[in-house]
Amino acid sequence: MSALEAVLLTIITASTPLLLAAVGELVVERSGVLNLGVEGMMIMGAVTGFAAAYTTGSAAIGVAAAVGTGVAMALLFAFLTQTLAANQMATGLALTLFGTGLSGLIGQTFTGLPGVKLGALHIPGLSNLPLIGPVLFAQDVLVYASVAITAGVAWTFTRTRAGLVIRAVGSNHHSAHALGYDVAAVRYRCIAFGGVCAGLAGGYLSLVYTPQWIENMTAGRGWIALALVVFATWTPIRVAVGAYLFGTVWIMGLYVQGIGVAIPSQFLSSLPYLVTIAALLAISGNRILTRVNTPACIGQTFVPDR
Amino acid sequence: MGTTDHGGRCGYLLEAEEIVKRFGDFTANDRVSLRVRPGEIHALLGENGAGKSTLVKIIYGSLQPSAGRLRWGGEALTVPNPAAARRLGIGMVFQHFSLFDALTVVENIALAVPGPFDRDALAERVARVSEEYGLPLDPTALVADLSVGVRQRIEVVRCLLQEPRLLIMDEPTAVLTPQEARQLFVTLRRLAHEGCAVLYISHRLEEVRELCHHATILRQGRVVADVDPRSETVSSLARLMVGADVQSVNPAAREAPGPPALTVTGLSLPAGGPFGVPLRDVSLQVRSGEVTAVAGVAGNGQSELFEVLSGERPAPTPESVTIAGQPCGERDITERRRLGAAFVPEERLGHSAVPGFGLSENVLLTRHAANDHLVRTGFVSGGRVRALADRISTRFDVRFSRRDQEAGALSGGNLQKFVVGRELDRNPRVLVINQPTWGVDAGAAALIRQALVDRARDGAAVLVISQDLDEIFEIADRIAVISRGALSDSYPAHTIDRERIGMLMAGARAAGPGPERDART
């Protein structure tokens, strides 16, 4: 395996969980809901994914458990914010604190145990091509899933009625309600979708990235995903660009440190944030696109008259 | 079937029988009955809060009645939601439009049209129908870029695509220029002629007399009269609506106006937010002793102008805004108040007043620095503040259920009297007020208008920003028109008519009725 190949592979592995979490949150925010619980859903996905895979010996069951947990957490959030009309910021923060604590508790017995790694796919012929074979055609299924989900979300928003309804609900929930759309039902589904993605992202960490359970192993990735959505001005393709840029700079920083270049490590670890923000600000310079994509009702509680 | 007069013995399209709607203790509709025939333009008249909007929301399925029945073509009917209403052929154009700024025209329409989502086919249908009815639209335009008149066209076309049998219009002309309103009447008459019934909500009596075949008048949730508006007068309709004679403003003897007390010179300002309006080279002089009005359709830069005048947004140079001869462009709102200026913004709750604060606390918010000795060495004098709140309430007839009630618990009219009174009580030399009687009942509106005129006659320079042309002609000495952030010259009120104001409101767009986009991007 060449050095370049190794770098590219680690970049993909580092970027995939960010992309998964961010694209899920993008759908949630496009429907007008701000779920600050991404980190909490991710870490719960990571611990339950690991536990299920370790107990059953099947990484696939681990992935399913991670998704299930993400959805369960998301539905809790949806129930509190949509049915009971609780404040979204407070509920989201609580979800993150709750997830971080509970995952530590569940994970106690799993700390230090060898995990089950989700295997890479092997596509006869393509996987054996030099460089692009291992990088593009021998990844695990979640990498392809993250790309497919991103493309699917982009297509849904631009081409389908479902996407139009989600955008409408996020843009003006009063009007959507007046036209007869069930605002809460649309948001429930979007929040659940965000849970699926955050669960997958967490599962990816404990089943692929480092196949073991380490407390707080999400290390703020949920928050990075949240920031990426905003800086990418709520467009799926930009979220993908941002996630991969972040992953690239991050991994390059690690390599630079590894070969002993005398740059303070604190600077290197802050670099991905700076570069991503700068790059996304540069590409989001188009104010018309920004205002079209910004969900105007984000974070606002909606209770219809009866 | 053609337009139908009373005498016609045809069946009713829609019958509402004894509709009751309660919100908690409040009864918004109290046994309201209404019958609409096909091809009839039926007015629903009443003051704000009379229950008009509640009734039509029940017909459209947005609200469920607490009691009572609806019939459609003689058969009993329940309308569980707006989609069901649309399937029956009931279309509605909302007072506060149900449009999505961030979506295009065709996307907005697609949201209300069932069936498969085919943007191109729908765009073609939109273009065809809108052309047919003389309501041209560009299907790919972004709603945020369109003027209010064009936005309403979208709503009308959206209803027309569903081939409605009953079209409900909630205060459709409140946001239109006179020319746009006339165009709308042509469309409505044509629809009625084709057999569509129109339920037309308004409190503009002239246009109801001009347009409608029948009028049902609501007061405090009850039907008080069913009349033929063509055989009534404006004042007889007003009496039915209000339940008492409405006093007209006494303009008082007018002396020669004094020097300009508020001036704006060459003021340009970029748009504040993504959907804001930039101000373009605005110049204006408001003289002492005069009421100057800025007319215009909502969203043409009125809020931006108010913000610059009040000091909520600084002007680019100190000289762009002067108050009592002092350059003020960069001074904040408190410094401007100290020069004798007072400001009443458009939003009563949340801008003029804090909903959760008592009246006395709300007094303090604008009066703390105005030499009333309300605050001494950092301590608030509760007694003085309450006394002041009482004085304002007495002088301006503010009614509340207990002393020092929260501002949010007052009715719109009472709160508006209070916030206007709070500023007038200072006897300001300059008063700037945005939409002084928006959503206020007729009695309170008359009191506020009279107070503004009286203040001007006492030597103050009063600037009124309003969308209501009736109000402007009632109180203004000079009139200027704002359109897309540019302000016209100001004209003496007796030298300018509605026609001319309408042209100025429409700006350069008055030339032809093509699809109109604002220049702002």
Side-chain angles (χ1 to χ4, degrees):
Chain A
M1 192 188 276
S2 71
L4 178 61
E5 213 178 285
V7 172
L8 289 178
L9 284 176
T10 36
I11 288 173
I12 292 174
T13 325
S15 308
T16 297
L18 290 177
L19 178 57
L20 281 168
V23 92
E25 177 68 8
L26 180 142
V27 172
V28 177
E29 293 192 11
R30 263 311 197 44
S31 78
V33 176
L34 182 60
N35 185 353
L36 296 180
V38 182
E39 179 85 359
M41 297 189 292
M42 267 179 88
I43 192 82
M44 283 298 289
V47 72
T48 51
F50 180 87
Y54 178 82
T55 317
T56 62
S58 157
I61 293 179
V63 171
V67 169
T69 310
V71 172
M73 297 272 288
L75 288 178
L76 174 64
F77 175 85
F79 177 71
L80 291 169
T81 58
Q82 303 306 307
T83 306
L84 302 182
N87 180 292
Q88 294 176 13
M89 319 280 170
T91 311
L93 284 173
L95 199 67
T96 288
L97 293 171
F98 169 66
T100 311
L102 187 61
S103 65
L105 184 69
I106 297 172
Q108 254 177 350
T109 48
F110 296 100
T111 308
L113 295 176
V116 182
K117 187 170 159 91
L118 184 66
L121 296 180
H122 185 83
I123 307 164
L126 291 177
S127 301
N128 299 330
L129 293 173
L131 189 60
I132 60 164
V135 172
L136 292 185
F137 300 113
Q139 293 291 349
D140 56 85
V141 66
L142 291 184
V143 170
Y144 301 122
S146 71
V147 175
I149 289 173
T150 310
V153 167
W155 183 78
T156 302
F157 278 139
T158 50
R159 292 273 150 222
T160 69
R161 178 180 288 271
L164 181 60
V165 171
I166 294 172
R167 282 157 58 207
V169 165
S171 157
N172 186 339
H173 44 215
H174 298 292
S175 295
H177 175 71
L179 283 181
Y181 288 99
D182 188 337
V183 172
V186 172
R187 290 185 170 165
Y188 252 94
R189 285 172 209 164
C190 291
I191 293 168
F193 178 79
V196 170
C197 292
L200 279 178
Y204 191 85
L205 291 175
S206 66
L207 296 169
V208 179
Y209 192 78
T210 44
Q212 49 181 314
W213 166 250
I214 308 160
E215 206 175 335
N216 286 329
M217 69 186 300
T218 45
R221 284 183 181 83
W223 297 110
I224 296 166
L226 271 163
L228 275 177
V229 175
V230 179
F231 284 116
T233 58
W234 294 275
T235 41
I237 304 305
R238 283 187 196 161
V239 160
V241 170
Y244 270 84
L245 190 66
F246 192 95
T248 305
V249 180
W250 188 359
I251 295 302
M252 296 314 286
L254 294 181
Y255 274 93
V256 167
Q257 266 180 304
I259 52 176
V261 178
I263 301 174
S265 66
Q266 291 88 343
F267 177 73
L268 286 174
S269 40
S270 65
L271 204 57
Y273 300 89
L274 296 175
V275 171
T276 308
I277 291 171
L280 289 174
L281 279 181
I283 60 173
S284 66
N286 186 336
R287 287 180 56 195
I288 298 177
L289 261 181
T290 308
R291 75 176 188 182
V292 171
N293 291 323
T294 307
C297 288
I298 193 160
Q300 293 171 19
T301 303
F302 177 70
V303 184
D305 294 335
R306 283 279 164 217
Chain B
M1 177 190 330
T3 50
T4 314
D5 279 0
H6 278 217
R9 293 300 315 165
C10 61
Y12 293 107
L13 176 66
L14 174 83
E15 293 161 86
E17 293 173 358
E18 307 264 305
I19 296 285
V20 177
K21 178 65 185 175
R22 292 186 203 90
F23 297 102
D25 291 341
F26 176 67
T27 306
N29 279 172
D30 188 359
R31 283 174 288 142
V32 172
S33 297
L34 176 81
R35 288 171 174 168
V36 185
R37 287 191 177 91
E40 177 183 65
I41 303 182
H42 190 118
L44 200 52
L45 279 174
E47 288 206 86
N48 291 290
K52 309 180 299 268
S53 292
T54 305
L55 179 63
V56 295
K57 279 182 183 163
I58 289 170
I59 295 170
Y60 193 60
S62 303
L63 292 173
Q64 296 305 316
S66 311
R69 266 193 316 274
L70 291 175
R71 288 177 186 280
W72 182 253
E75 298 191 12
L77 168 77
T78 52
V79 191
N81 56 51
R86 285 198 296 268
R87 277 196 298 275
L88 284 171
I90 302 177
M92 178 153 170
V93 173
F94 293 87
Q95 179 180 13
H96 304 288
F97 298 154
S98 60
L99 293 179
F100 305 90
D101 276 359
L103 305 184
T104 63
V105 170
V106 69
E107 285 175 332
N108 267 281
I109 292 175
L111 281 164
V113 177
F117 181 53
D118 181 342
R119 201 180 309 232
D120 296 335
L122 187 60
E124 253 173 59
R125 265 182 81 199
V126 169
R128 200 180 59 237
V129 170
S130 64
E131 210 55 54
E132 208 179 297
Y133 280 89
L135 303 164
L137 282 176
D138 171 4
T140 58
L142 199 60
V143 168
D145 291 332
L146 300 173
S147 72
V148 184
V150 180
R151 289 181 193 210
Q152 187 175 57
R153 232 181 261 169
I154 303 173
E155 294 239 358
V156 175
V157 169
R158 181 157 77 181
C159 291
L160 293 182
L161 280 181
Q162 300 156 36
E163 287 157 12
R165 297 174 63 198
L166 172 67
L167 182 61
I168 304 171
M169 308 224 46
D170 194 354
E171 302 260 1
T173 56
V175 292
L176 300 184
T177 65
Q179 284 86 350
E180 285 170 328
R182 210 160 306 135
Q183 173 64 44
L184 176 70
F185 294 169
V186 171
T187 307
L188 291 181
R189 286 202 184 97
R190 177 172 165 185
L191 275 170
H193 192 71
E194 291 169 1
C196 177
V198 179
L199 194 52
Y200 190 89
I201 300 187
S202 185
H203 57 231
R204 297 197 171 178
L205 304 172
E206 272 299 354
E207 68 185 33
V208 166
R209 286 192 58 226
E210 184 187 333
L211 182 71
C212 300
H213 309 126
H214 197 101
T216 297
I217 299 167
L218 293 180
R219 195 194 312 147
Q220 290 168 350
R222 294 186 188 168
V223 176
V224 291
D226 254 318
V227 298
D228 181 344
R230 291 164 297 187
S231 56
E232 297 286 325
T233 65
V234 166
S235 55
S236 71
L237 288 172
R239 205 157 40 237
L240 287 168
M241 264 168 65
V242 180
D245 283 316
V246 180
Q247 285 195 322
S248 56
V249 169
N250 169 15
R254 186 165 161 244
E255 294 164 25
L262 171 68
T263 70
V264 182
T265 316
L267 173 72
S268 294
L269 202 68
F275 300 114
V277 179
L279 294 177
R280 301 165 213 265
D281 194 24
V282 170
S283 294
L284 176 70
Q285 292 197 337
V286 186
R287 291 173 179 279
S288 303
E290 279 195 332
V291 176
T292 302
V294 171
V297 175
N300 271 289
Q302 288 95 329
S303 342
E304 286 80 1
L305 179 62
F306 181 86
E307 283 170 9
V308 179
L309 292 177
S310 71
E312 286 171 54
R313 270 179 83 187
T317 64
E319 289 75 24
S320 348
V321 177
T322 71
I323 291 172
Q326 303 270 339
C328 271
E330 286 159 337
R331 298 201 194 186
D332 69 19
I333 187 161
T334 301
E335 291 176 277
R336 294 184 198 204
R337 284 194 186 118
R338 287 200 172 113
L339 290 171
F343 309 96
V344 184
E346 178 178 6
E347 282 290 316
R348 279 188 286 279
L349 285 174
H351 200 166
S352 295
V354 180
F357 279 16
L359 292 181
S360 67
E361 290 164 308
N362 272 301
V363 164
L364 193 63
L365 289 176
T366 68
R367 298 285 290 266
H368 59 93
N371 300 328
D372 298 309
H373 307 289
L374 299 180
V375 181
R376 278 183 171 168
T377 59
F379 289 93
V380 175
S381 163
R384 282 174 201 271
V385 176
R386 276 190 295 276
L388 182 52
D390 288 344
R391 186 171 90 204
I392 294 167
S393 301
T394 313
R395 208 179 130 193
F396 290 90
D397 187 30
V398 181
R399 294 171 208 172
F400 37 77
S401 49
R402 73 188 152 75
R403 198 176 170 220
D404 212 12
Q405 200 165 21
E406 298 85 29
L410 261 57
S411 75
N414 276 311
L415 183 58
Q416 186 69 7
K417 284 190 280 188
F418 186 79
V419 296
V420 173
R422 177 178 69 186
E423 306 308 321
L424 286 176
D425 177 78
R426 280 175 54 204
N427 298 326
R429 283 193 280 170
V430 172
L431 176 68
V432 182
I433 182 164
N434 193 1
Q435 316 300 351
T437 60
W438 186 86
V440 163
D441 60 275
L447 186 145
I448 289 168
R449 288 172 189 162
Q450 185 67 57
L452 294 176
V453 170
D454 291 348
R455 187 66 215 131
R457 297 300 172 256
D458 284 344
V462 176
L463 181 67
V464 175
I465 303 171
S466 177
Q467 294 171 43
D468 186 342
L469 280 184
D470 295 332
E471 168 171 273
I472 286 177
F473 277 110
E474 200 172 350
I475 63 177
D477 301 306
R478 296 187 73 84
I479 300 174
V481 179
I482 193 164
S483 173
R484 287 186 285 167
L487 190 69
S488 73
D489 295 333
S490 69
Y491 303 90
H494 57 87
T495 66
I496 185 167
D497 58 11
R498 279 163 201 267
E499 201 64 22
R500 176 86 185 116
I501 290 179
M503 304 282 272
L504 291 170
M505 279 177 172
R509 298 173 300 155
E516 295 152 5
R517 288 178 98 141
D518 274 2
R520 61 188 154 99
T521 42

